[in-house]
Structures are given as structure tokens and as C-alpha cells.
Amino acid sequence: LGTVKGIIFICFSIGIHNIIYLTSVYIMSISSISLIKTIIKDKKYYKELKYSIIEHCVFLLISLILIISASFIEVYISNYFLVMIKNYI
């Protein structure tokens, strides 16, 4: 029974911020692949390429905000919750 509680404790401490972090990495990857496909496919359409680059930058900014929030959760909120859970386990 102690091992199960330890595994739950570890998964909770690792999982909270990594869900947000992995989501932001996934968003950046899809946006980058989409931009590369647009660059390779539409070299002659400058306006569409310009909007694709702007769209990519917006997705990168959203991902940056998500990564910063995940770091904030890891440093401050996760530690607080772990102390609370430790008292119950």
C-alpha cells in the first residue's frame, strides 16, 4: 500500500506541469511543420507566406506563454500541492 501511494505522489508531482509543457511543444511542432510545408509549396505566393509566418509567430508566442505558465506551476503551485498531499498520505 505504501508503494502505490508513492507512485501516485510521484505521478502527481511530475504530471501537472508536464501536461501543459507537452501541449505547448506539440503546438510548436505542428505550427513549424505547417510553416515548412507552406514555404516549400508556395514559393511564388508572397502574401500567403507572409500570413503563414505571422500565424507561426502567434503560435510560438502562445506556446511561450504556456511554457512560462508551466514553469510557474512547477515552481510555486506544485510544491504547495505536494506539501498538502504529503500530509494526507
Side-chain angles (χ1 to χ4, degrees), residues 27-76:
I27 289 171
M28 286 190 295
S29 301
I30 290 176
S31 177
S32 299
I33 291 170
S34 175
L35 179 66
I36 293 297
K37 284 174 65 176
T38 304
I39 289 172
I40 291 173
K41 183 177 73 172
D42 299 326
K43 289 183 181 177
K44 57 187 171 187
Y45 299 114
Y46 178 71
K47 284 187 176 183
E48 187 175 327
L49 180 63
K50 185 171 108 174
Y51 291 125
S52 294
I53 292 173
I54 291 171
E55 182 182 38
H56 179 67
C57 289
V58 168
F59 279 123
L60 287 180
L61 286 175
I62 291 170
S63 297
L64 178 66
I65 291 169
L66 286 173
I67 289 173
I68 290 172
S69 66
S71 299
F72 178 77
I73 288 172
E74 180 182 2
V75 171
Y76 295 108

